[in-house]
Amino acid sequence: MRSTLIPAMTILSLALVACSGVDIQQQGVDKFSAGNYRYYTWRTEPLPANTYSSDPVYTIDPVIRREVDADLQSKGYVLDKSRAQFSVDYLYVSGMQQGERSELASNITPYPRVTPNRQVNQAVVDNAIALGGVKETNNIILQFNDLESNQEVWQATLSKVVEDANNIDASRLDQNLQEYLERALEPLPPAGQ
């Protein structure tokens, strides 16, 4: 019994680590690869660091720039504004996402039906309430544009459901963004020669 418990707990732990809660959607890298890029620049200047704003974009701007620069430079790209072949930009936007409806819900109510003479399954009702309805999301859209043609050559979108908008932990945000951006930029090819 004990010998099967340890592997089962290990598999469960790995499965939970793999579920990050962030949806990352990337475009194909064909257009980007065809450009055979080596030099890049940021499309916009960094946000001022001495601004005392509660807007999260002031917290994430330096993290996004640092992590994207580190990842691109590890692939051989060079940040050089004068010789740049493509530009990097990002958008930070809030959005809304429709939640999932329970299979037991009807077209009249989003909550599971109650069958007469049966006990209500409270777990099903709780899941329907938690997963149903509209959810607020925070989205980061990374965009790479060819500077000669002014056309987008690659894009990645990172979306996360907002769990507590009033509690922003900067250290956790930094660590999470590092991991998510690394995953988002993973399919990019090494720099051209």
Side-chain angles (χ1 to χ4, degrees):
M1 172 77 176
R2 188 172 184 96
S3 63
T4 59
L5 183 62
I6 292 172
M9 291 302 286
T10 304
I11 291 171
L12 178 63
S13 299
L14 291 173
L16 289 175
V17 168
C19 300
S20 68
V22 171
D23 180 33
I24 299 176
Q25 298 176 356
Q26 302 136 323
Q27 283 185 347
V29 294
D30 298 339
K31 283 200 273 185
F32 185 79
S33 296
N36 201 27
Y37 301 113
R38 180 148 174 76
Y39 301 100
Y40 75 98
T41 186
W42 283 90
R43 184 170 175 236
T44 58
E45 295 297 320
L47 293 176
N50 58 356
T51 303
Y52 300 104
S53 174
S54 61
D55 191 333
V57 74
Y58 289 96
T59 305
I60 68 168
D61 180 72
V63 177
I64 290 176
R65 289 175 186 273
R66 181 189 72 221
E67 296 305 323
V68 169
D69 283 342
D71 194 274
L72 288 177
Q73 289 169 10
S74 74
K75 293 177 187 264
Y77 296 97
V78 178
L79 177 60
D80 186 342
K81 193 171 189 171
S82 63
R83 295 189 286 178
Q85 299 160 307
F86 72 96
S87 67
V88 178
D89 197 16
Y90 76 91
L91 297 169
Y92 174 74
V93 293
S94 295
M96 297 294 186
Q97 180 179 33
Q98 181 62 43
E100 297 295 324
R101 288 179 54 121
S102 170
E103 292 177 4
L104 303 174
S106 70
N107 64 345
I108 298 170
T109 176
Y111 306 118
R113 295 186 291 265
V114 176
T115 307
N117 299 326
R118 304 269 174 130
Q119 289 195 358
V120 176
N121 182 341
Q122 191 61 43
V124 172
V125 174
D126 290 344
N127 284 340
I129 293 169
L131 299 175
V134 177
K135 304 290 182 205
E136 182 182 352
T137 61
N138 282 337
N139 307 294
I140 296 172
I141 303 167
L142 283 176
Q143 185 175 351
F144 291 9
N145 298 311
D146 182 87
L147 288 176
E148 189 175 314
S149 67
N150 274 340
Q151 297 293 314
E152 177 185 287
V153 290
W154 186 77
Q155 180 180 341
T157 304
L158 295 80
S159 298
K160 180 173 177 60
V161 173
V162 176
E163 295 166 4
D164 186 359
N166 297 323
N167 185 13
I168 299 172
D169 181 2
S171 63
R172 204 174 98 218
L173 179 75
D174 190 318
Q175 181 182 3
N176 289 344
L177 268 176
Q178 180 179 0
E179 175 192 338
Y180 303 147
L181 288 169
E182 185 178 317
R183 282 183 20 214
L185 295 167
E186 188 176 354
L188 292 178
Q193 302 301 322

